[in-house]
Amino acid sequence: MIEIHLKKLLSAGDGPLQLDVKLEIGQGEFLAITGPSGSGKTTLLRLLAGLAAADEGFIHFDGQVWLDTRQGVRRRPQERNVGMVFQDYALFPNMTVRQNLEFALSKKQDPGIVSELMAITELTELEGAYPAMLSGGQQQRVALARALVRRPRLLLLDEPLSALDAGIRAKLQNYILRLHEAFQLTTILVSHDYREIFKLASRVVALQQGQISQPDLPASVLFSSGREGDLRLSGEVLTIEEDGAGFAINVLIGNNVVRVPAMPRDIQNLQPGDGVTVSFQAFDPELVR
């Protein structure tokens, strides 16, 4: 369990912004943080990693005190066992894929973790390549693997896929899920991409003007993205229930369950386990067969 209450005065585009975040995150949870630019999302990740100093507050991680400004406790980044991946790959250009990962090893660590991570992220055949020889998706896979070399308990992802095209993003999302599960991580993702949030996160919170809120999926996530129109996402039917004069279909989309209203004609020949497409035009879910 991670318990945080952090305060920091920020300089936003329209003046000072008071970041005041109180949040609990379960062990093994995959949490997404969304919200408009300039609301403090990246700063929150930097505070968790110890790369920025809070004005006031605390971070408790599974009984360990990482930060407590009242008691004067401030653990350094290297003492927090956190992996972090940014949009910028930040690879060493003069090192091969394997060397980039080996550089992250601690002195007494078993180097076998490097080969294990390269196998999971399908980089083994590229171990001798330099970053300039790799595509953007391949470089980001190296960055993800490198962030996990020291087996962190917490993985922080700051829009790591936003510079990649849709097809590559979808593949990288699968790698992220695979690593999250294989290494039993607690993962926090900052993202504006609602498709990414639906696919990856088990819970989503919104950061607005420095304050955390708990939105109802999917409408609040879509509103926070600032995009409108007909969004269609694929999912799996979990249950079909009577709901007044009609029916309600509970559809699993990514890690989120969306309740979709339906008429009798919509559920003909439909049963749990079937794949369906849900339209969120005007932010109201509607079944598309």
Side-chain angles (χ1 to χ4, degrees):
M1 172 72 74
I2 306 173
E3 298 173 295
I4 66 172
H5 189 183
L6 298 168
K7 296 181 180 181
K8 187 174 181 65
L9 186 63
L10 308 178
S11 296
D14 54 355
L17 174 67
Q18 180 63 57
L19 183 69
D20 188 348
V21 173
K22 189 174 184 180
L23 192 60
E24 291 186 356
I25 305 163
Q27 183 177 359
E29 187 172 3
F30 199 126
L31 176 73
I33 302 176
T34 189
S37 298
S39 57
K41 301 185 299 298
T42 294
T43 298
L44 177 57
L45 294 192
R46 289 178 61 83
L47 290 171
L48 285 167
L51 301 176
D55 297 333
E56 180 183 343
F58 62 81
I59 302 172
H60 297 161
F61 190 103
D62 284 350
Q64 295 180 342
V65 180
W66 285 4
L67 172 74
D68 192 319
T69 54
R70 290 187 178 180
Q71 298 181 22
V73 178
R74 294 182 186 269
R75 286 200 177 198
R76 296 175 298 172
Q78 57 268 37
E79 297 175 316
R80 298 190 185 194
N81 199 15
V82 173
M84 193 163 186
V85 182
F86 300 91
Q87 180 180 336
D88 181 3
Y89 316 128
L91 303 178
F92 295 110
N94 60 332
M95 293 185 182
T96 64
V97 169
R98 175 173 284 277
Q99 289 169 341
N100 263 278
L101 268 63
E102 289 176 341
F103 187 82
L105 288 166
S106 62
K107 292 182 179 179
K108 297 181 180 181
Q109 192 173 1
D110 181 357
I113 183 65
V114 170
S115 296
E116 179 183 351
L117 282 165
M118 285 197 300
I120 292 174
T121 53
E122 299 182 1
L123 289 169
T124 304
E125 293 184 0
L126 298 171
E127 66 175 333
Y130 291 89
M133 304 165 60
L134 305 177
S135 67
Q138 290 169 337
Q139 289 186 63
Q140 194 59 289
R141 270 190 276 158
V142 178
L144 281 166
R146 186 180 60 183
L148 298 180
V149 165
R150 295 198 180 188
R151 292 189 175 272
R153 300 170 67 189
L154 176 63
L155 178 63
L156 305 177
L157 305 173
D158 191 5
E159 299 192 73
L161 311 182
S162 59
L164 304 174
D165 63 49
I168 299 299
R169 290 182 76 147
K171 292 180 180 179
L172 265 291
Q173 288 161 6
N174 292 335
Y175 286 114
I176 289 172
L177 277 178
R178 192 182 304 170
L179 291 166
H180 172 78
E181 294 169 0
F183 285 81
Q184 299 180 320
L185 299 165
T186 299
T187 303
I188 302 176
L189 166 74
V190 165
S191 178
H192 290 98
D193 188 318
Y194 37 76
R195 290 177 178 86
E196 194 163 85
I197 290 170
F198 267 94
K199 183 174 182 177
L200 297 178
S202 54
R203 181 164 64 105
V204 58
V205 296
L207 190 55
Q208 302 272 357
Q209 291 296 309
Q211 306 285 323
I212 284 286
S213 62
Q214 179 64 62
D216 294 324
L217 288 175
S220 296
V221 173
L222 303 185
F223 276 121
S224 71
S225 73
R227 302 180 186 181
E228 298 183 4
D230 185 7
L231 166 68
R232 298 189 176 199
L233 299 173
S234 298
E236 177 185 336
V237 175
L238 294 179
T239 59
I240 302 172
E241 307 169 355
E242 291 188 12
D243 187 12
F247 295 86
I249 306 171
N250 291 312
V251 180
L252 179 66
I253 301 177
N255 289 314
N256 297 282
V257 178
V258 178
R259 190 175 178 85
V260 184
M263 300 302 292
R265 64 177 181 275
D266 297 322
I267 65 168
Q268 290 181 358
N269 302 319
L270 191 68
Q271 58 186 357
D274 287 349
V276 293
T277 300
V278 179
S279 167
F280 293 98
Q281 190 167 13
F283 309 112
D284 291 321
E286 178 183 351
L287 189 69
V288 180
R289 295 293 298 274

